[in-house]
Amino acid sequence: MKTIRLTAAQALVRYLANQLNEDGVPYIAGVWAIFGHGNVAGIGEALYGIREELPTYRGQNEQSMAHAAIAYAKQLGRRRAMAVTSSIGPGALNMVTAAALAHVNRLPVLFIPGDVFANRGPDPVLQQIEDFEDGTISANDCFKPVSRYFDRIERPEQLLTALPRAFRTLTDPADCGPVTLAFCQDVQAEAYDYPESFFTPKTWRFRRPEPDVVELEAAIAAIKAATNPVIVAGGGVHFSGATETLKSFVEKHQIPVVETQAGKSALAWDHGLNFGPVGVTGCESANIVSEKADLVIGVGTRFQDFTTGSWALFKNPNRKILALNVQAYDSAKHDAIPLVADAKVGLEKISAALGEHHFAAPDAGLKASWFAKADAVTAAPKDANTLPTDMQVIGAVQRASRDNTVVMCAAGTMPGELHQLWKAKLPLSYHMEYGFSCMGYEIAGGLGIKLAEPERDVIVMVGDGSYMMMNSELATAVAMGVKITVVITDNRGYGCINRLQMGTGGAEFNNLYAHTNHVNPIAIDFAAHAAAMGAKSTKVSSIAELETALDAAREATVPTVVVIDTDPYPTPGAGGHWWDVAVPEVSAREEVNKARAAYEAALKERI
């Protein structure tokens, strides 16, 4: 057997560079790195040696550079991914939040945090967490509950088994998610005689699991027995590449579609059978169709509480759930009829068995009525002297968008209102991280999207609260020449949670800056801050000025940031659904007591 002597770190990066996807391109598109003593000598030197084949990118924060990697994989439908490396201690722990985000959203990313010395010679090494009762514990054990696969590399030869297992997880349609290889820093530098065959280019196929015959028969029987079915399209439609299959399926069988946050853009907004966003942040047309459905067909959805209205949305007492999902865990939720299979294959098999069986489509007037209301709240304000609403900002961005635009967001006010109001025309033109709803994902995520699809026009929608959480990758985008447009809506605090606080009877407290414990007024010049990082930035005072600025951003050669003050209180005023947020049983405030009574009444409606 021919061997080649390499350090463990060199072996790792050489293996990464030789793993291909079905298109024949490297599955790992690059490595995000912030170096410290735990990875600079081993992994850093190894990455330098292979920098022409496997590019390395420098982030500003370990969490946000991981967000960029995750957004990259999501935008490409999990067909490619990135790796992220940090030193031990704080650098590694900064990535745990990002690992959780990837885990919740079933997205592939390879985390390679440095770890303490396997030989324990210098214990306790700088930044080492010492467990007083377990000598095997390090900070990286925090990755275990948020990783789909975890391994600690304590000997160079362990890579021979750990790396194939890692890529099996990253490319598995059901188990896909974050992988963590905690890499002991002394082991990174140790040499081993690796088989040359270990580095032979390998192609990883994305399997399409076929449905079990018995489950398929049960699914077909349930559909044929239904009168008013509805399809809930989730993110799995995108990951399966099943958007055209879904379109053909619903047109043939005349079944209405409603979309989750992850599933939005699976069907064009103006398709006659797309009844819009569903659930808590949904619209009237989708929720009315869902309430009446006697069969809820989930396609690639995990039935999150925002989708189901905390399981109070599907009100038909005879309703059944059919869950087509590649992950058996998701297909068995809430006593669903399971159909474990790839979304595309599953829809094709069901359609073939149904033949010409079809249903009477719901009243198209429901959809027309909703979009009339949506158009009204997104229209430019007639009074230019009042603060614009977030809905009006969305309208301006919609009017400035093109067919190749990707609008993205993650947390705060915008996810709910974008889900309700944004008109997504093409698949993957709507990029929302709402599985973990992680504040700070936005700008880093926009960077990842643009790296994944450079030809796309990427517009990042972010509130002032999320911007303050994590904005430093704007400097990275400037440095890398990655042009994105960032729209900052400044409502001077956490407007979304302030409204939720009020809606549950609470007093306005500690959310908007005006209601916080402070001595000096808080007034942040976001345009100046963005300009200091090298972006082209401007603050506008009206919706008309915003539209002009967005047109100008298209001609810019660097990232553009547009800031606009908005009113923190208005909401669309229509659509949506109840969400289970527990209200205190006992309070001295009458507003809370009234909210509790309404909460208890709503609980009785849940079936």
Side-chain angles (χ1 to χ4, degrees):
M1 179 177 64
K2 291 185 178 181
T3 61
I4 180 171
R5 192 161 182 82
L6 300 168
T7 68
Q10 290 167 343
L12 168 76
V13 301
R14 182 172 294 202
Y15 184 90
L16 298 188
N18 282 290
Q19 307 310 298
L20 311 176
N21 71 8
E22 291 174 324
D23 296 325
V25 298
Y27 177 75
I28 297 295
V31 181
W32 287 92
I34 292 180
F35 295 133
H37 71 88
N39 66 343
V40 68
I43 293 175
E45 171 65 13
L47 286 171
Y48 175 80
I50 201 171
R51 63 192 182 282
E52 299 299 328
E53 300 171 60
L54 184 65
T56 298
Y57 306 110
R58 218 302 295 273
Q60 312 300 326
N61 178 285
E62 291 87 356
Q63 181 187 147
S64 56
M65 69 181 185
H67 287 167
I70 294 165
Y72 180 95
K74 178 180 173 71
Q75 190 61 27
L76 292 180
R78 306 195 301 196
R79 283 336 192 233
R80 298 187 77 189
M82 288 180 156
V84 189
T85 181
S86 75
S87 187
I88 73 170
L93 290 177
N94 279 348
M95 299 194 298
V96 172
T97 297
L101 184 153
H103 191 285
V104 167
N105 290 285
R106 277 73 161 167
L107 293 169
V109 59
L110 177 59
F111 291 98
I112 314 170
D115 212 322
V116 298
F117 278 67
N119 64 29
R120 305 190 186 180
D123 277 11
V125 70
L126 177 67
Q127 300 178 323
Q128 180 174 343
I129 297 292
E130 292 184 279
D131 188 294
F132 301 153
E133 298 175 347
D134 187 342
T136 68
I137 294 292
S138 82
N140 289 328
D141 287 274
C142 294
F143 283 94
K144 288 182 177 179
V146 291
S147 297
R148 287 286 186 176
Y149 177 73
F150 178 93
D151 209 339
R152 180 172 279 113
I153 310 304
E154 298 175 303
R155 294 178 61 88
E157 61 268 35
Q158 289 175 347
L159 290 174
L160 295 170
T161 52
L163 285 172
R165 290 171 181 169
F167 273 80
R168 195 283 305 172
T169 302
L170 292 169
T171 60
D172 187 275
D175 292 342
C176 183
V179 168
T180 300
L181 299 180
F183 209 163
C184 293
Q185 59 179 292
D186 52 339
V187 179
Q188 294 176 30
E190 292 177 10
Y192 181 78
D193 294 319
Y194 291 93
E196 284 189 356
S197 59
F198 187 59
F199 306 107
T200 300
K202 177 179 174 61
T203 298
W204 292 86
R205 292 185 58 256
F206 303 102
R207 294 190 303 277
R208 293 190 178 277
E210 301 256 339
D212 174 79
V213 173
V214 175
E215 288 188 353
L216 181 61
E217 289 176 351
I220 294 164
I223 294 173
K224 287 183 174 180
T227 303
N228 295 307
V230 65
I231 290 175
V232 179
V237 176
H238 291 297
F239 296 148
S240 174
T243 55
E244 284 299 314
T245 304
L246 176 68
K247 179 174 179 287
S248 298
F249 182 92
V250 301
E251 288 175 351
K252 180 178 179 182
H253 305 293
Q254 291 295 292
I255 301 177
V257 173
V258 297
E259 295 178 314
T260 70
Q261 283 277 19
K264 191 174 173 76
S265 79
L267 201 60
W269 74 273
D270 55 356
H271 189 283
L273 287 164
N274 186 348
F275 276 72
V278 67
V280 176
T281 55
C283 67
E284 290 175 342
S285 54
N287 286 344
I288 288 172
V289 169
S290 298
E291 286 177 356
K292 295 179 178 179
D294 59 350
L295 180 65
V296 178
I297 307 171
V299 181
T301 177
R302 62 193 184 98
F303 287 115
Q304 185 216 27
D305 66 338
F306 259 59
T307 298
T308 67
S310 299
W311 289 101
L313 173 60
F314 308 120
K315 294 184 182 300
N316 189 323
N318 298 314
R319 70 107 169 100
K320 294 180 179 179
I321 297 172
L322 167 60
L324 168 55
N325 203 294
V326 75
Q327 173 54 259
Y329 179 89
D330 290 318
S331 71
K333 289 177 178 175
H334 284 263
D335 199 29
I337 301 167
L339 184 59
V340 180
D342 171 76
K344 186 175 188 296
V345 172
L347 289 173
E348 290 171 347
K349 295 281 187 181
I350 293 172
S351 185
L354 288 177
E356 298 304 314
H357 189 89
H358 64 277
F359 299 87
D363 179 8
L366 288 174
K367 181 174 177 177
S369 174
W370 164 251
F371 278 107
K373 294 177 181 178
D375 289 343
V377 297
T378 56
K382 295 179 180 178
D383 185 356
N385 296 317
T386 59
L387 277 177
T389 67
D390 291 299
M391 296 85 77
Q392 291 165 343
V393 170
I394 290 172
V397 175
Q398 183 87 68
R399 291 187 290 275
S401 68
R402 300 292 184 267
D403 284 348
N404 73 332
T405 296
V406 178
V407 67
M408 70 85 63
C409 192
T413 295
M414 279 297 169
E417 296 185 1
L418 282 168
H419 190 213
Q420 282 190 325
L421 304 172
W422 188 259
K423 298 173 179 176
K425 185 70 175 177
L426 298 175
L428 297 172
S429 63
Y430 179 87
H431 183 117
M432 186 65 63
E433 193 292 288
Y434 213 55
F436 209 46
S437 186
C438 186
M439 296 178 73
Y441 174 86
E442 294 90 345
I443 290 174
L447 170 59
I449 294 168
K450 188 69 172 180
L451 286 174
E453 294 191 302
E455 71 282 2
R456 301 295 286 263
D457 171 37
V458 179
I459 300 180
V460 176
M461 306 285 282
V462 60
D464 58 299
S466 274
Y467 181 88
M468 290 296 289
M469 285 268 186
M470 196 163 290
N471 53 59
S472 56
E473 299 310 336
L474 182 60
T476 305
V478 170
M480 294 177 63
V482 178
K483 189 187 130 182
I484 58 176
T485 301
V486 180
V487 177
I488 302 175
T489 52
D490 184 3
N491 60 21
R492 296 153 304 286
Y494 300 144
C496 174
I497 294 301
N498 188 65
R499 292 192 300 274
L500 179 61
Q501 188 173 50
M502 296 169 66
T504 54
E508 294 185 76
F509 174 64
N510 204 50
N511 284 312
L512 298 184
Y513 288 138
H515 309 134
T516 61
N517 190 345
H518 62 275
V519 175
N520 298 312
I522 301 172
I524 302 163
D525 189 338
F526 292 105
H529 185 270
M533 288 191 280
K536 178 183 176 182
S537 66
T538 183
K539 182 168 183 177
V540 299
S541 58
S542 69
I543 293 297
E545 289 183 12
L546 173 60
E547 294 192 41
T548 300
L550 290 171
D551 286 338
R554 196 167 287 109
E555 306 303 321
T557 57
V558 295
T560 298
V561 174
V562 185
V563 184
I564 184 168
D565 289 340
T566 59
D567 190 331
Y569 293 104
T571 63
H577 193 274
W578 175 76
W579 183 35
D580 192 343
V581 177
V583 179
E585 268 192 89
V586 178
S587 174
R589 301 183 66 254
E590 185 57 30
E591 296 91 339
V592 175
N593 293 330
K594 288 181 179 179
R596 176 68 192 190
Y599 174 70
E600 291 178 353
L603 285 177
K604 293 177 182 177
E605 295 294 315
R606 181 157 60 191
I607 60 173

